[in-house]
């Protein structure tokens, strides 16, 4: 079991460019979560899929951020027109998830730096 | 206000000492999880503990859901225990809400 895989591990973009982050959940896990970690804000929930369907995106900034899960083996987080304040470590997690109540396993994260 | 409050914010230990980390929740929760993170490192799940006491090696987690609190006990601390310990609550069928963490430094 390779755990949750995230690519790339590091990404540097210029202001205004687009960034796409990839996540491969643990095989057999039905729920995928995205979080963001900064020194100032700590860890913040962004969005959540169950069986590929979006369930809760209450943490997602309303503009420029979008997430998809086109199949059970990967999810993407896309940030359009990146801004310096988007710089953070973006973390993906997966769980077995039967309507909540299951342990979440985190990937190593993608460190996004917006210049 | 902060839904998940962790205390203390930081802790300095001499190797061999015990420590107790606290986590209090301001809202009802379905379950909670303890994590460990080294600077620049990944989040490592220590305990998924919706209620009761769980032990893994020198670490013990106790959660009392009705009182909205959880604790993490480190016994006989070692320098390799240094890092940040984070607790997180899971409201029903939602993403985790994290505390700000307790930074633990263990010196020989």
């Amino acid at each position: 079991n390779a755990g949750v895989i995230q690519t790339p591990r590091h990404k540097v973009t210029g202001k205004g460019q687009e960034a796409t982050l990839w996540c491969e959940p643990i095989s057999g896990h039905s729920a995928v979560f995205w979080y963001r970690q900064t020194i100032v804000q700590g860890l913040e929930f962004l969005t959540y899929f169950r069986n590929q369907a979006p369930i809760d995106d209450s943490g997602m900034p309303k503009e420029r951020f979008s997430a998809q899960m086109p199949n059970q083996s990967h999810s993407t987080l896309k940030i359009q027109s990146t801004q310096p304040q988007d710089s953070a470590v973006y973390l993906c997690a997966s769980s077995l998830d039967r309507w909540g109540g299951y342990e979440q396993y985190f990937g190593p994260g993608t460190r996004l730096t917006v210049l | 206000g902060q839904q998940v409050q962790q205390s203390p914010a930081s802790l300095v230990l001499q190797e061999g000492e015990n420590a107790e980390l606290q986590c209090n929740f301001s809202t009802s929760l379905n379950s909670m999880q303890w994590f460990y993170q080294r600077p620049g490192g990944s989040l490592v799940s220590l305990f998924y503990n919706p209620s009761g006491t769980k032990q893994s090696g020198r670490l013990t987690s106790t959660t009392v859901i009705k009182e909205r609190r959880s604790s993490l006990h480190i016994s006989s601390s070692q320098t390799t225990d240094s890092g940040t310990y984070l607790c997180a609550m899971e409201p029903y069928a939602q993403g985790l809400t994290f505390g700000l963490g307790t930074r633990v430094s263990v010196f020989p």
Side-chain angles (χ1 to χ4, degrees):
Chain A
N1 191 334
V4 176
I5 298 171
Q6 289 191 250
T7 56
R9 294 294 307 277
H10 302 272
K11 187 169 183 66
V12 179
T13 66
K15 184 178 173 181
Q17 292 183 327
E18 183 177 287
T20 300
L21 314 179
W22 293 71
C23 170
E24 181 179 330
I26 293 171
S27 178
H29 281 193
S30 57
V32 170
F33 303 81
W34 285 96
Y35 297 85
R36 175 169 64 179
Q37 186 174 28
T38 61
I39 292 174
V40 174
Q41 298 290 338
L43 271 150
E44 301 173 287
F45 165 75
L46 294 176
T47 188
Y48 161 33
F49 295 86
R50 182 186 299 114
N51 295 322
Q52 300 172 233
I55 301 299
D56 180 1
D57 67 353
S58 59
M60 288 276 273
K62 296 308 174 193
E63 297 179 356
R64 303 186 295 106
F65 282 66
S66 62
Q68 293 184 319
M69 192 161 183
N71 57 60
Q72 64 185 9
S73 64
H74 89 272
S75 175
T76 58
L77 179 68
K78 184 180 290 186
I79 309 172
Q80 295 178 309
S81 185
T82 54
Q83 303 297 311
Q85 62 265 31
D86 299 331
S87 296
V89 176
Y90 289 83
L91 294 160
C92 177
S94 70
S95 79
L96 282 170
D97 192 78
R98 299 290 186 265
W99 286 101
Y102 279 79
E103 186 171 7
Q104 292 188 27
Y105 298 88
F106 280 74
T110 295
R111 182 175 295 276
L112 175 67
T113 302
V114 182
L115 301 176
Chain B
Q2 194 75 20
Q3 287 186 291
V4 181
Q5 294 184 320
Q6 288 192 246
S7 60
S10 62
L11 197 54
V12 178
L13 301 168
Q14 189 158 22
E15 202 167 28
E17 289 184 327
N18 299 331
E20 187 99 350
L21 282 56
Q22 300 289 341
C23 190
N24 290 283
F25 311 104
S26 62
T27 62
S28 58
L29 62 156
N30 188 48
S31 68
M32 66 80 56
Q33 205 167 337
W34 281 98
F35 295 91
Y36 169 75
Q37 188 176 38
R38 288 187 182 276
S42 304
L43 275 173
V44 176
S45 178
L46 297 174
F47 293 101
Y48 171 74
N49 190 4
S51 66
T53 298
K54 293 190 174 183
Q55 184 174 3
S56 175
R58 295 179 295 102
L59 300 179
T60 303
S61 167
T62 300
T63 297
V64 184
I65 281 285
K66 281 193 284 189
E67 296 180 11
R68 299 180 184 174
R69 61 178 175 86
S70 183
S71 64
L72 180 68
H73 183 82
I74 305 172
S75 63
S76 302
S77 60
Q78 300 178 359
T79 56
T80 51
D81 295 332
S82 296
T84 299
Y85 293 79
L86 294 140
C87 67
M89 61 175 277
E90 183 223 311
Y92 185 76
Q94 297 177 36
L96 295 173
T97 300
F98 284 83
L100 296 178
T102 294
R103 181 174 295 183
V104 174
S105 302
V106 184
F107 294 94

